[in-house]
Amino acid sequence: MSADTALAALADERVDHRFKGLPPDADGMTLGELAAQRRPLFTGGFTTPVLALSAEAVENNIGVMERYCAQHGLAFAPHGKTCMAPQLFEQQLGHGAWGITAAVPHQVRVYRAFGVRRIFLANQVVDAAALRWLAGELDADPGFRLVTYVDSVRGVELMDRALTDCGASRPVEVVVELGGGEGARTGVRTEAECEQIADAVAATSTLRLVGVAGYEGEVPEADGERVRAWLRRLTGLAVAFDRAGRFADTDEIVVSAGGSAWFDAVADVFAELPELSRPVLKLLRSGAYVSHDDAHYRRLTPFNRVPEEGALQPAFRLWAQVVSRPAPGQAFLNAGKRDAAYDLGMPSPLVVRSARDGSERPADGITVTKLSDQHAWLELGADAGAGPDVGDWVALGLSHPCTIFDKWQLIPLVEADGTVVDFVRTFF
């Protein structure tokens, strides 16, 4: 199946019990048919809780990052594990993204099923079955490019063995992952070890060293100074490898970093790279930007530091209903851990929509204090007045996109007036 066919087929999927929040009277329709009806989110039969994704915010965020990368000479491979939504991949690629970043081979399989031609796999792959599949994809499609991490001599040995055993004909392109420091996540801790791993790669015929990479968000006690110091280690490693002739077998040197909290530092330090023996692909990998959020990344976005270069907008609203007012100052919504991200903070009540007349007001004085599996605990402060009534809808702002998308297989895409114009399918 071609990429265009696979994307088009998403609209042919039938509405049924698998998808939370969709109108029960739409069962049996295709998603395309339901989207064409342009139903209103609040009166069109959607059931609560229902997650809504703002069409305008998504378009704004993708456009902002496209302009930012172009201005700073960066290629862009957004981290797809944030959303795992092929429609959003296609939208980002249509706005100039170089490719899409994955974390594990399963995600690569999803990307390939929807025709993604360039993939940066930000992890070392030592699973022989996964490597056999990857080798098959590379051998079958000369236009497919995959770049993946290596971070140990042992990993190189396992990769080489698996690729040799399966008869891979195309070398797998690899970048040495420089770790963020002691106590960080994966990655090589010292430049001397990086050299040993590069030597191990050079001794194989199944792998080709094309660059260096890492993730600055793992720098311990990250701040602007520490992050930039680590980034200069990364670019210094690229320079040292180039001077040593380690990139002789590649036409392009890959230098990659960049989450959603420090991409301004990445842009600054990557701009300092001296001319190398080959063209350099300066690859940024921010992913959470596409939907942004109302807490974690809203506080950390580099655009807080460089507001003249753009502004991201939170794209999610989780709408739930008040189902119980058992005591003064207390209310419960019908959305909980199964529906809302909570690993980096509780949801934030933003808007109350009256069940009586559809009027909306700010959710002043209302706080989510706890999540149960299917309930949000609301505390009603003095500013809340009488508080929301049973049946009222409450919009929750959420934190950490990576754990929002994975709770919803299908998400209504909603315009500012509440009209549902499409449905975003996820594949976690």
Side-chain angles (χ1 to χ4, degrees):
M1 183 184 296
S2 70
D4 290 343
T5 302
L7 281 166
L10 294 177
D12 296 330
E13 197 159 9
R14 296 286 174 180
V15 176
D16 59 26
H17 60 276
R18 292 171 296 162
F19 304 123
K20 297 189 289 186
L22 296 197
D25 67 353
D27 273 11
M29 290 184 187
T30 68
L31 293 174
E33 290 168 345
L34 181 56
Q37 292 183 353
R38 297 179 61 86
R39 294 195 186 192
L41 183 70
F42 304 109
T43 59
F46 292 87
T47 63
T48 56
V50 60
L51 182 66
L53 187 65
S54 164
E56 292 88 354
V58 168
E59 183 67 25
N60 171 80
N61 296 346
I62 291 175
V64 164
M65 285 301 291
E66 178 186 19
R67 292 188 292 275
Y68 184 86
C69 290
Q71 181 174 336
H72 290 276
L74 300 171
F76 191 37
H79 214 315
K81 58 92 176 175
T82 303
C83 62
M84 289 303 294
Q87 291 142 293
L88 296 182
F89 299 161
E90 183 69 11
Q91 194 170 352
Q92 292 171 99
L93 291 167
H95 279 264
W98 172 90
I100 306 293
T101 296
V104 292
H106 159 71
Q107 293 168 3
V108 178
R109 290 188 65 194
V110 173
Y111 302 176
R112 290 296 290 160
F114 290 90
V116 178
R117 304 298 300 277
R118 293 175 178 156
I119 298 172
F120 187 95
L121 179 48
N123 224 335
Q124 180 169 256
V125 182
V126 294
D127 183 316
L131 287 163
R132 183 166 56 248
W133 177 81
L134 288 170
E137 288 291 294
L138 288 165
D139 289 349
D141 182 359
F144 171 41
R145 185 176 185 190
L146 174 82
V147 180
T148 188
Y149 278 177
V150 287
D151 87 338
S152 65
V153 171
R154 172 62 174 162
V156 170
E157 292 171 350
L158 290 171
M159 294 174 76
D160 180 48
R161 181 186 306 165
L163 293 168
T164 299
D165 288 349
C166 72
S169 62
R170 282 180 65 189
V172 173
E173 294 184 300
V174 297
V175 289
V176 174
E177 181 194 3
L178 179 67
E182 291 302 323
R185 197 167 55 193
T186 57
V188 187
R189 296 310 195 238
T190 70
E191 281 76 0
E193 292 173 291
C194 289
E195 292 177 2
Q196 293 171 6
I197 294 165
D199 288 340
V201 170
T204 74
S205 61
T206 58
L207 304 175
R208 176 186 296 134
L209 183 66
V210 298
V212 297
Y215 173 45
E216 75 289 344
E218 283 294 315
V219 172
E221 301 178 4
D223 60 20
E225 183 178 352
R226 291 185 178 91
V227 166
R228 284 175 172 81
W230 177 84
L231 285 163
R232 290 189 176 101
R233 284 184 62 200
L234 182 69
T235 56
L237 183 64
V239 170
F241 275 13
D242 189 47
R243 287 175 178 166
R246 295 188 183 278
F247 299 132
D249 293 333
T250 184
D251 295 329
E252 178 181 69
I253 299 169
V254 178
V255 182
S256 180
S260 294
W262 293 103
F263 56 74
D264 58 332
V266 174
D268 291 345
V269 176
F270 279 14
E272 300 169 358
L273 258 172
E275 185 174 349
L276 301 183
S277 65
R278 284 154 179 75
V280 178
L281 182 73
K282 302 174 183 178
L283 192 63
L284 184 70
R285 305 194 308 272
S286 309
Y289 87 99
V290 71
S291 62
H292 202 41
D293 70 7
D294 278 285
H296 183 72
Y297 285 108
R298 194 169 192 170
R299 291 192 299 271
L300 296 179
T301 176
F303 291 122
N304 291 337
R305 298 185 289 271
V306 286
E308 68 278 6
E309 296 207 54
L312 301 176
Q313 300 171 3
F316 278 125
R317 292 292 179 268
L318 177 61
W319 287 94
Q321 277 185 291
V322 178
V323 293
S324 181
R325 287 289 310 270
Q330 188 178 45
F332 288 86
L333 301 178
N334 63 344
K337 293 179 181 178
R338 300 289 183 257
D339 314 296
Y342 58 92
D343 60 318
L344 294 180
M346 288 292 106
S348 304
L350 301 174
V351 176
V352 176
R353 180 182 175 86
S354 170
R356 300 178 188 276
D357 60 13
S359 62
E360 295 185 0
R361 64 184 188 275
D364 295 336
I366 304 175
T367 305
V368 175
T369 59
K370 179 181 176 181
L371 292 179
S372 300
D373 284 352
Q374 303 293 171
H375 292 94
W377 298 53
L378 300 187
E379 180 181 287
L380 310 180
D383 293 344
D389 200 359
V390 171
D392 287 351
W393 292 46
V394 177
L396 298 176
L398 303 173
S399 181
H400 199 191
C402 300
T403 54
I404 300 171
F405 279 100
D406 65 357
K407 299 177 186 298
W408 294 83
Q409 290 182 298
L410 198 71
I411 304 169
L413 189 68
V414 182
E415 291 184 338
D417 65 358
T419 302
V420 177
V421 295
D422 205 352
F423 296 90
V424 174
R425 185 73 158 90
T426 66
F427 292 86
F428 282 93

